[in-house]
Amino acid sequence: QVHLVESGGGLVQAGGSLRLSCAASGSIFSINAMGWYRQAPGNQRELVATITSAGSTNYADSVKGRFTISRDNDKNTVYLQMNSLKPEDTAVYYCNADCKYYGGSTIRRGAFWGQGTRVTVSS
């Protein structure tokens, strides 16, 4: 019952910037945390950044100082501002939400994924 819609991916040159957005919708009771993961060709999916509803953040070492995660709790939306992009950042970026949601007659807990948005950084 929770749907994540991502946007903002594209093609940029090294050193450029992109801003990703992910909006959660559905029968949401609350969102405990949201995050971004990425998967490059030939690689496993890795955590990029997470943020709790209270604003606590966590970043992968590879993006610290360059990426900033933020959220609008009222809109159930998470953002990823990506600056100083490198070719190594090229990947499909996936949004994740850890939620409590209305499922039938109960409130349930679960994690949901977006479809992914592609980021390509050229040299």
Side-chain angles (χ1 to χ4, degrees):
Q1 295 188 35
V2 179
H3 184 222
L4 305 181
V5 179
E6 305 172 22
S7 62
L11 173 65
V12 296
Q13 289 185 293
S17 298
L18 283 174
R19 182 173 180 263
L20 307 183
S21 300
C22 174
S25 62
S27 301
I28 299 171
F29 177 77
S30 64
I31 298 179
N32 300 297
M34 300 186 77
W36 291 94
Y37 295 72
R38 67 186 182 186
Q39 187 166 16
N43 293 345
Q44 294 183 300
R45 188 172 300 182
E46 64 176 350
L47 183 147
V48 177
T50 60
I51 186 167
T52 69
S53 60
S56 179
T57 59
N58 181 55
Y59 295 92
D61 288 342
S62 59
V63 306
K64 286 181 179 178
R66 300 188 298 118
F67 291 9
T68 302
I69 189 170
S70 61
R71 82 280 181 257
D72 185 332
N73 290 339
D74 291 337
K75 297 180 179 179
N76 293 326
T77 299
V78 65
Y79 307 93
L80 186 68
Q81 179 66 45
M82 304 185 293
N83 298 326
S84 302
L85 282 163
K86 304 175 181 179
E88 306 93 271
D89 296 317
T90 295
V92 177
Y93 285 69
Y94 297 91
C95 177
N96 177 269
D98 179 19
C99 307
K100 291 180 180 177
Y101 63 98
Y102 296 99
S105 61
T106 64
I107 296 176
R108 303 181 182 182
R109 175 74 173 269
F112 299 87
W113 293 91
Q115 80 288 349
T117 184
R118 187 178 301 276
V119 172
T120 303
V121 184
S122 64
S123 59

